[in-house]
Amino acid sequence: MSVILNALIHTVTRARWHNFMGRCRNLEQTQRRLLEDRLQRHAETAFGREHGFERLKSPGDYARSVPISSWETVDPYIDRIIAGETHVLTAGPLPTMFNKTSGTTGKPKLIPVTPESKAGNALNQKVWAFAAIGRHPRFLAGKVFPVVNKAVEGYTPHTKIPYGAVSGLMVRDAHPLARAKYAYPYEAIEIEDFNARRYAMMRCAVPEPVSFIPGSNPNALLKLFESADAHKADLLRDIHDGTLSENYDIPAPIRATLSQGFKPNPHKASELERLAERAGRLQPRDYWPDLKLIGCWKGGTVGQFAHHLHDWCSPELKLRDTGYMASEAHITIPISDEGNSGLLTIHTNFFEFIPEEDFGRPDARVLMAHELEVGVPYQILLTTAGGLYRYSINDVIEVAGFYQDAPLVSFLRKGRDVMNLQGEKVSANQILIAVQGACAETGVTPMHFMVVGEAENSRYHLHIEPTGETPDPIVMQRLLASFNARLCEINHVFKRYQKLDMLKPTALSLMEHGWLGAIVDHQVASGMRDTQFKPTILGSERPPGGSLVYTLDIREGAPV
C-alpha cells in the first residue's frame, strides 16, 4: 500500500511541478494574466466597483487606481462579510473560513479563505513535495508528523463562519489516503491543554516510523521533543501497556479516538528505555531513526532555532525551508535544502514590489517580479485569491538569486514598527497600548520606555524611565505583570507562544533618571538634529546611552 501511495504522490506532484515551472519561465506573462483574470472576475464586487476594476487593463492601471492597503483599510470590508454580505471582496458565496492571526490592536485579523485560495495552498504543498523528492526520494516512505494548529477556534457571530488555522484545516480535511500517512490522528490537535496536546501527539507518534516532519516554527518542534523527554516515564509506560496516561487533561471523546490505535508494545518500550538511558534523554534520533527530512523556517529571527534540531536528531538530517508564508498568503516555495529562498507563488498571488528606500513616497517605483534585482531590499505587496488587493504586510524581502530566470525570494525582516521573534508579530501600537494601560494601573508615569525583542533569549524586555521618585520594586513588578497580561490580551499569538514556552517570560529593566536625555545626546553627537529625534518604543536592541538600576523577571519578581 505504501509503495502504491508513494508512486501516486510522485505522479501527482510531478505534473503540478512541471505546470508551475512552465509559469515561472513565462513570469511576466503569467502575472499579467493572473491580474487580468482576477480583476475581471471580481469587477462587480463592492471593492471592485469602488476602484473601477472593469476599466483597469494593466498592472500600471492597477497601481494607479488602487491605493496600497493595510489591515485598517481592509477590516471594514471584513466586517461586512462577517455580517453576511456577499460579493464584498471576492465574487461568489461567503468564505469557507477565516484564517485567524493577531492584529495591531486587540481585535484579531480574520483573513478570508476562499475555495481558490484553499486550492492554491494545496498546490503549493504538491510543488514543494516534488522539489523535495528529487533530493530526498524516500522522505515520504514512512509516517508524516505535521506540526499545525487547530483548524477551528470559533465561529463568527450570526453567519457562523469558522475561523482558525489553515494549516490545521488542511490536515483535518486531507484525503483519506493522506490521513493514513499521519503519525497521529488530527483529533490530538483539538486538545486545549498545551501540555496534554504535546503529550498526546508524541504518545501517538513516537512508536511510529516517522520519515518527514512538515512544520514552520522550529522552536515549536523543539518543544515537542523536550516534552517527550520530560514525560518519558509516562510515555514509555503507555507504549509498553498500549494505554494513554490519565495524568493529562484529554477530553474523553478525544481520548477514546486516540486510544483506538494503541496496542501493547513492550519490545519497543524496552528498546527506547535502553536508548534513553544510554543517551541521557529520550530523543528523536533514537525513536525516529528513519527520519529523512524536516520542513521548517530557516530564515528570520525564528530560523536561529533550526540548527538546534540537530542536537536532538541526527547531525546528517536535512532541513528544508517550508517557504515564506504569512496568514495572508503562502508567498514562496523553496526548491533547495540550502538557504531559505524560494520561487514566488505566481500561480495564485499577484506580486508588486517597492524598493525599501522608496516605500511610503507617492512617486515610489512599483515593480513586478520579473524586474527585481539581487540584493536590493523591497517591501512586498500582495493581491491574493482571498480578496486582498495591493496589501502591505510590512515585510522586507530580497532576491538571493534566480532559477530559470525567476527570482528566488527570501524574507529579510519585518518592516517598520513590528517585532517578530517566533511568529507573534508584536507591533509598536500593541506595545503602546499595553504600557499605557499598565502605567495607568500602577500609577507610574514614564518619561520614556522601550521594549526590546531579544532574539537570543526569545523574550520581550521592557525598559522604562519613570518621572519623579524611583518606584518601589513591588510596584514595578506589578507594572511588569500588568504589561505582560495586557499584551497577551491584545495579541493572542504572543499569549499562546508564552504558554508553549516558545517565548520566554517578559522582563523589565528600571532605567536611571536621564536615560532619555542620554539617548538624545548620543544621537545628536552622531549628527542628528535634536529636532529630528523620534523616540523608538520597539526594537531589536537598546540604543546607546543611560544605564539600568535593576532588572525584574516576571517569574521571580525580584531584582537581578
Side-chain angles (χ1 to χ4, degrees):
M1 178 66 177
S2 179
V3 174
I4 296 174
L5 179 57
N6 288 335
L8 178 61
I9 292 172
H10 187 272
T11 300
V12 172
T13 58
R14 178 175 58 190
R16 302 298 187 271
W17 165 262
H18 287 301
N19 180 275
F20 174 69
M21 288 311 304
R23 293 170 187 256
C24 288
R25 284 189 290 270
N26 295 281
L27 179 58
E28 181 181 3
Q29 184 181 37
T30 295
Q31 284 281 271
R32 287 180 177 273
R33 285 181 175 175
L34 178 68
L35 179 62
E36 180 181 353
D37 175 69
R38 197 151 286 170
L39 293 175
Q40 288 178 352
R41 282 193 292 118
H42 303 311
E44 293 305 314
T45 63
F47 191 92
R49 290 193 301 271
E50 290 171 12
H51 296 87
F53 278 10
E54 64 178 9
R55 302 190 306 272
L56 308 183
K57 304 301 181 184
S58 69
D61 292 344
Y62 182 56
R64 285 186 291 271
S65 300
V66 180
I68 294 173
S69 65
S70 64
W71 187 251
E72 286 68 31
T73 58
V74 172
D75 194 30
Y77 294 97
I78 301 298
D79 287 340
R80 291 166 62 178
I81 296 172
I82 291 173
E85 185 178 346
T86 58
H87 296 275
V88 177
L89 293 172
T90 57
L94 293 172
T96 57
M97 74 169 290
F98 291 103
N99 201 15
K100 180 185 175 186
T101 187
S102 59
T104 56
T105 62
K107 182 181 179 182
K109 293 192 292 187
L110 297 180
I111 312 298
V113 177
T114 63
E116 184 183 0
S117 63
K118 189 176 178 182
N121 286 332
L123 178 57
N124 296 337
Q125 288 186 342
K126 292 181 176 67
V127 173
W128 190 97
F130 185 82
I133 285 173
R135 182 77 176 269
H136 311 282
R138 293 191 56 76
F139 87 98
L140 292 174
K143 293 285 188 174
V144 176
F145 183 78
V147 183
V148 298
N149 294 313
K150 285 179 62 174
V152 177
E153 296 181 22
Y155 295 85
T156 59
H158 310 303
T159 46
K160 303 302 179 184
I161 302 172
Y163 57 81
V166 169
S167 60
L169 178 76
M170 298 188 74
V171 169
R172 188 196 69 180
D173 295 349
H175 190 279
L177 288 175
R179 286 206 303 272
K181 295 282 289 184
Y182 294 150
Y184 63 87
Y186 166 77
E187 285 77 6
I189 301 298
E190 296 286 337
I191 299 171
E192 291 293 338
D193 182 86
F194 287 120
N195 288 328
R197 182 190 306 174
R198 285 172 174 158
Y199 183 82
M201 291 170 66
M202 298 306 285
R203 165 62 187 98
C204 294
V206 164
E208 297 289 342
V210 170
S211 61
F212 174 47
I213 303 176
S216 53
N217 192 320
N219 200 22
L221 191 51
L222 289 170
K223 295 304 176 185
L224 284 162
F225 296 161
E226 292 168 3
S227 174
D229 179 54
H231 301 286
K232 59 179 172 286
D234 288 342
L235 189 59
L236 295 176
R237 188 182 308 111
D238 277 343
I239 292 172
H240 183 283
D241 298 339
T243 55
L244 181 57
S245 173
E246 295 288 344
N247 294 332
Y248 305 92
D249 184 14
I250 301 173
I254 297 178
R255 180 179 291 275
T257 298
L258 302 184
S259 298
Q260 289 176 359
F262 298 152
K263 295 180 180 179
N265 195 342
H267 175 73
K268 185 71 171 180
S270 298
E271 178 188 11
L272 291 178
E273 184 175 19
R274 177 181 61 81
L275 292 171
E277 288 178 356
R278 185 182 68 180
R281 64 180 182 180
L282 185 64
Q283 53 190 8
R285 70 175 65 182
D286 292 326
Y287 51 79
W288 291 334
D290 295 323
L291 182 61
K292 304 298 183 186
L293 183 65
I294 291 179
C296 66
W297 289 328
K298 296 170 65 178
T301 55
V302 177
Q304 64 177 312
F305 296 98
H307 73 275
H308 291 301
L309 294 171
H310 287 123
D311 297 339
W312 290 87
C313 305
S314 167
E316 288 76 39
L317 176 69
K318 295 300 182 181
L319 310 179
R320 177 175 287 228
D321 200 283
T322 48
Y324 165 31
M325 59 187 75
S327 299
E328 291 84 355
H330 189 150
I331 298 169
T332 68
I333 303 174
I335 57 173
S336 167
D337 293 345
E338 284 69 49
N340 69 310
S341 63
L343 295 170
L344 292 164
T345 52
I346 58 171
H347 53 294
T348 188
N349 299 302
F350 177 75
F351 297 101
E352 297 169 281
F353 304 87
I354 297 177
E356 185 184 24
E357 62 182 9
D358 295 339
F359 192 73
R361 291 171 42 185
D363 60 343
R365 295 170 294 157
V366 180
L367 306 175
M368 291 176 61
H370 68 283
E371 299 175 295
L372 301 183
E373 299 177 11
V374 171
V376 178
Y378 299 97
Q379 282 266 359
I380 185 171
L381 306 180
L382 307 175
T383 294
T384 73
L388 300 179
Y389 300 97
R390 309 201 71 222
Y391 184 80
S392 171
I393 55 175
N394 194 31
D395 281 359
V396 179
I397 63 94
E398 67 177 358
V399 176
F402 293 87
Y403 182 79
Q404 297 190 7
D405 296 328
L408 291 165
V409 170
S410 296
F411 169 78
L412 194 59
R413 54 181 163 78
K414 292 302 293 183
R416 303 168 184 143
D417 300 331
V418 174
M419 183 62 63
N420 195 32
L421 300 182
Q422 296 287 345
E424 69 286 349
K425 299 178 184 176
V426 171
S427 71
N429 190 45
Q430 291 174 344
I431 294 296
L432 182 63
I433 293 170
V435 171
Q436 286 178 339
C439 286
E441 180 181 326
T442 56
V444 174
T445 302
M447 173 64 72
H448 180 51
F449 66 87
M450 178 183 180
V451 170
V452 176
E454 298 174 346
E456 66 279 8
N457 297 321
S458 290
R459 73 173 181 182
Y460 286 84
H461 191 156
L462 171 62
H463 300 73
I464 186 166
E465 175 194 354
T467 60
E469 296 183 2
T470 301
D472 188 275
I474 295 176
V475 174
M476 298 309 291
Q477 183 63 35
R478 286 175 46 218
L479 190 152
L480 173 58
S482 177
F483 166 73
N484 191 77
R486 291 170 186 275
L487 195 53
C488 285
E489 183 179 351
I490 293 169
N491 187 321
H492 76 280
V493 180
F494 175 89
K495 178 180 180 180
R496 181 168 75 242
Y497 284 1
Q498 276 203 335
K499 284 186 176 181
L500 291 171
D501 196 36
M502 292 166 59
L503 288 174
K504 301 302 180 183
T506 309
L508 179 149
S509 285
L510 179 69
M511 304 303 295
E512 285 188 341
H513 289 299
W515 176 43
L516 179 60
I519 295 173
V520 175
D521 290 345
H522 182 273
Q523 296 199 16
V524 169
S526 301
M528 176 185 287
R529 297 190 184 97
D530 56 0
T531 55
Q532 293 178 317
F533 174 75
K534 295 180 180 178
T536 300
I537 65 170
L538 178 64
S540 58
E541 60 183 1
R542 180 161 57 91
S547 56
L548 58 86
V549 180
Y550 58 73
T551 297
L552 298 172
D553 187 302
I554 198 169
R555 294 171 299 185
E556 300 169 0
V560 294

